[in-house]
Amino acid sequence: MALLDSVSSPRDLDGMSLQTLDELAQEIRDFLINKVSRTGGHLGPNLGVVELTIALHRVFDSPRDPLIWDTGHQSYVHKILTGRQDFSGLRAQGGLAGYPQRSESEHDIVESSHASSSLSWAEGISRAFQMTGQDDRYVVAVVGDGALTGGMTWEALNNISHDNARNLILVVNDNGRSYAPTIGGVARFLAGVRARGSYRFFKSSAEGFFGMFGAPGKALYRGIRGGTRGFLSYFANNDDLYSNLDIKYVGPVDGHNIEDVERALRQAKARNAPVIVHVITEKGRGYAPARNDEADQFHAVGHIDPITGEARESSDTPSWTSVFADEMVAIADRRDDVVGITAAMLRPTGLYRMAQKYPNRVVDTGIAEQHAVTSAAGLAYGGMHPVVAIYATFINRAFDQVLMDVALHKAGVTFVLDRAGVTGPDGPSHHGMWDLSLLQIVPHIRIAAPRDAKRLREELNEAISIEDAPTVIRFPKGSVSPELEASRRTDDGVDVLADASHHDVLIVAVGPMAALAMEVRSRLADQGIGATVVDPRWVAPVARSIVEMARSHRIVVSIEDGIRIGGVGTRIRQELRAAGVDTAVDEIGLPDEFIDHASREQILEQAGLTPQHIARNLVAQVMGMKVPIARPLPAEGDPMSSSGVVEEENATFD
């Protein structure tokens, strides 16, 4: 029987020898490579924390001692050791989530996958334990070196250092990378600790020297090795990064030596005070294709060959990200004032291509979205035009800076939001479904949602030409939509994709929803209902031509892949009322719920964002059977008969 089969809870690890644990670690790596290569997911980060996770579960008693994983990219091993070994449906509907999830296990504490928050969670939980007299419980936060660049981490450290009488362990999982190599001053410091020749010499020579004295000497070495910050700092030239915070420091420790990691964790546990344990690991450990991948060491993979690491599927259709990446290079060729900014996501957002050609005009701030946005405002003041490229879900973190630093100062900054709308397998905290509602309330902001690659290039160039207000370009994850040409363009820039002889329904399609809108139009036509389909291109502010078209239609429906509340449809309805237009508006979008992981298609279907569902509702609204009810046009009289609408029971949609 495989060792892994004998593990259903962390306590099954307690009686295992170090040799057995090493064998288990290898089994876990083999398991991860085999399973994740089939499902896709975060492979590299998890391969790097196998021994660390085993040690954590042996030293601490989860869930009584909460283990908090910053970001959660590295939580697969934790899931395996807590009884969740069915990875067949990883990141798929009904299967395991790709991040910690409370509904799966009592061992999962923090579900959010936004980085740099774990220390704040740990501080709050440990304070609660202190206030309620639970002094025998420990709180452990595992934070990557990449997340240390986030300002929230340092806010938490400042607060933790103010009260150092709590059982709080902060494990720094230092692999030198977030997605790509970690950047900045903290990264340089940690790299120095890892690479310091004096540290390596001390470790090897001291171990040999003390080993000459047998068991007592080895015991003394272990005390020194795991030890006090001051002694090791002297030999390693550790620049006392944490000394002024009054937080004890243990390490650095070889994160792939279970014995060493356990020893360091037990020493930290015995201090009954906040302790930082610095653990050095290798992302992609034990899997050559990951270790040899210079881009991100298989941070996240799709379906791959487990032997070679090569992708099993490929697409001839370019992704939205790649179209943006190429266009940014073309723009940079023409304009030397354009600069790219990203927050530790140079490759995932596509800015790496511009960085290759113009390395001095691309800035990676690390995981620091707030700083990135305000820095962009400063660059705009200095005569540059910054393009801030991040995932849509992460603009949430910098909303105050967008509002108060960029918009208030009328700064010409362009935000490019990748993974907007439904992302699918990554789950609730990664869906980019709030950006439209959040950003529309920013005064004078202009938001574009391209429907295809041609429009992405076009609207990006338009955005960069605006110098007195923030602009936004948003697009989803995956391959670009098929090109869809307009029949005409209004004088204020709205693309009319299809006109109707009967002005029954005006469909306003947001970005890639255009293809869906055209299919809805076709189904309505089969029922004798005329539908005009428009792509606003710029969804905010609402174009005057959309207001005028709404005036001549019986009902308006907006289709968007953001939440309905405060979305594009809501904005259109408000603009119609302000203009004295009483046409009803039906806002179709995502519910105001945290949407679980599933495929994009499954999520859209559950939300009613299918041609069949939308068409069925519109027929009922035109017939006056469902609110909002389409209004009759003066020239048409009876809305039930003038446009050739069939009876609802005779309508066919399948």
Side-chain angles (χ1 to χ4, degrees), residues 347-427:
R347 184 168 292 272
T349 62
L351 279 181
Y352 72 99
R353 293 184 187 174
M354 181 180 172
Q356 290 173 337
K357 190 170 185 179
Y358 299 103
N360 295 327
R361 290 167 56 189
V362 175
V363 180
D364 186 348
T365 64
I367 301 175
E369 291 86 358
Q370 293 173 307
H371 164 64
V373 172
T374 300
S375 176
L379 281 162
Y381 178 79
M384 308 298 287
H385 190 106
V387 178
V388 181
I390 57 177
Y391 285 3
T393 183
F394 298 137
I395 198 67
N396 307 350
R397 314 188 76 173
F399 175 76
D400 182 69
Q401 288 69 34
V402 173
L403 182 67
M404 292 298 172
D405 292 324
V406 177
L408 178 63
H409 294 88
K410 298 181 173 62
V413 177
T414 296
F415 298 96
V416 175
L417 306 184
D418 203 325
R419 275 62 166 181
V422 173
T423 59
D426 287 330

Side-chain angles (χ1 to χ4, degrees), residues 607-618 626:
L609 284 163
T610 65
Q612 181 179 3
H613 185 84
I614 296 171
R616 188 181 297 277
N617 282 342
L618 282 170
K626 184 176 182 179

Side-chain angles (χ1 to χ4, degrees), residues 29 44-53 74 142-145 171-177 194 252-257 261 278-285 291 297:
R29 283 197 170 88
N46 284 282
L47 292 174
V49 298
V50 176
E51 290 85 2
L52 171 60
T53 308
Q74 74 289 57
V142 183
V143 58
D145 56 293
V171 178
V172 177
N173 174 32
D174 179 9
N175 60 21
R177 308 178 72 90
R194 291 192 300 270
V253 179
D254 179 359
H256 302 295
N257 185 311
V261 177
H278 184 182
V279 180
I280 297 174
T281 62
E282 293 179 344
K283 196 172 184 177
R285 173 85 170 190
R291 296 295 300 153
Q297 294 180 324

Side-chain angles (χ1 to χ4, degrees), residues 87-367:
F87 272 49
S88 60
L90 179 68
R91 303 168 71 243
Q93 188 177 40
L96 288 179
Y99 298 92
Q101 192 170 65
R102 288 183 179 180
S103 61
E104 283 184 6
S105 172
E106 63 179 347
H107 295 276
D108 289 3
I109 309 300
V110 177
E111 297 189 13
S112 172
S113 57
H114 288 192
S116 307
S117 64
S118 62
L119 270 61
S120 297
W121 269 98
E123 193 278 333
I125 295 172
S126 67
R127 187 180 295 276
F129 288 171
Q130 183 186 53
M131 289 178 170
T132 55
Q134 301 182 73
D135 297 331
D136 59 338
R137 299 181 70 178
Y138 295 82
V139 182
V140 183
V142 183
V143 58
D145 56 293
L148 290 181
T149 62
M152 196 172 173
T153 294
W154 295 96
E155 292 173 16
L157 282 170
N158 179 67
N159 205 226
I160 291 167
S161 69
H162 183 68
D163 179 7
N164 59 2
R166 284 176 277 161
N167 297 330
L168 179 56
I169 314 296
L170 310 177
V171 178
V172 177
N173 174 32
D174 179 9
N175 60 21
R177 308 178 72 90
S178 50
Y179 283 85
T182 308
I183 59 90
V186 174
R188 287 194 298 272
F189 162 76
L190 294 175
V193 175
R194 291 192 300 270
R196 191 76 66 186
S198 56
Y199 164 69
R200 293 196 304 270
F201 173 78
F202 168 74
K203 181 181 185 299
S204 59
S205 61
E207 185 173 12
F209 174 77
F210 286 104
M212 294 171 57
F213 297 94
K218 292 180 180 179
L220 179 60
Y221 167 73
R222 288 195 297 267
I224 295 172
R225 170 68 184 88
T228 61
R229 176 188 54 77
F231 186 83
L232 186 57
S233 297
Y234 176 79
F235 287 94
N237 196 24
N238 182 325
D239 294 325
D240 295 337
L241 177 66
Y242 306 107
S243 62
N244 291 327
L245 292 172
D246 194 25
I247 301 175
K248 302 300 182 182
Y249 175 94
V250 175
V253 179
D254 179 359
H256 302 295
N257 185 311
I258 295 175
E259 184 179 19
D260 279 0
V261 177
E262 283 193 22
R263 183 179 302 116
L265 292 174
R266 295 187 190 282
Q267 288 177 352
K269 186 177 180 180
R271 293 183 180 272
N272 299 117
V275 180
I276 292 172
V277 179
H278 184 182
V279 180
I280 297 174
T281 62
E282 293 179 344
K283 196 172 184 177
R285 173 85 170 190
Y287 187 41
R291 296 295 300 153
N292 295 333
D293 179 47
E294 295 183 2
D296 63 6
Q297 294 180 324
F298 283 19
H299 179 86
V301 298
H303 298 175
I304 62 172
D305 184 302
I307 305 300
T308 66
E310 296 179 357
R312 290 187 182 274
E313 72 278 344
S314 60
S315 175
D316 295 330
T317 305
S319 67
W320 292 96
T321 306
S322 66
V323 173
F324 163 70
D326 289 340
E327 190 60 24
M328 278 298 294
V329 174
I331 291 171
D333 289 340
R334 300 191 303 270
R335 290 185 52 168
D336 58 10
D337 64 328
V338 171
V339 57
I341 302 177
T342 189
M345 305 193 80
L346 193 67
R347 184 168 292 272
T349 62
L351 279 181
Y352 72 99
R353 293 184 187 174
M354 181 180 172
Q356 290 173 337
K357 190 170 185 179
Y358 299 103
N360 295 327
R361 290 167 56 189
V362 175
V363 180
D364 186 348
T365 64
I367 301 175

